[in-house]
Amino acid sequence: MIKPSKNISDVKQMVKSCDNQRIAVHVNLGRNKSLRYCGVLSGIYPALFTVKPDEDGFLGKTAYSYSDVLCGNVKIKRI
């Protein structure tokens, strides 16, 4: 078993550093499908964080858990 180099608290600190800033989000949807968009990190909660997308195709906000980032299903990058 490969020991992971990060833990949930490291991911939470990384997400907190991007609060209310523009970020690029890459979501792995499975079966060779992915979704990319830009938005603003709008809310940080104990179990998840929310992103408000800039594009008109999205309605409302999207929410992701910290474990999604830790597992690599969601990748965020500050713009």
Side-chain angles (χ1 to χ4, degrees):
M1 183 173 153
I2 299 173
K3 187 175 180 181
S5 60
K6 290 187 175 183
N7 55 22
I8 292 286
S9 62
D10 292 339
V11 172
K12 285 183 180 183
Q13 289 298 324
M14 188 265 302
V15 171
K16 278 185 182 179
S17 70
C18 299
D19 191 21
N20 290 326
Q21 294 183 2
R22 287 185 41 80
I23 58 172
V25 181
H26 176 82
V27 182
N28 183 7
L29 300 173
R31 296 199 173 227
N32 297 325
K33 297 176 188 163
S34 63
L35 175 66
R36 291 178 186 232
Y37 63 90
C38 295
V40 176
L41 187 65
S42 59
I44 296 176
Y45 302 99
L48 55 91
F49 61 94
T50 59
V51 179
K52 184 170 185 336
D54 292 337
E55 301 169 10
D56 293 334
F58 289 94
L59 297 174
K61 298 178 184 177
T62 56
Y64 302 105
S65 68
Y66 299 110
S67 63
D68 290 336
V69 177
L70 183 64
C71 293
N73 293 334
V74 175
K75 296 177 184 173
I76 62 171
K77 186 170 110 175
R78 191 180 314 173
I79 298 178

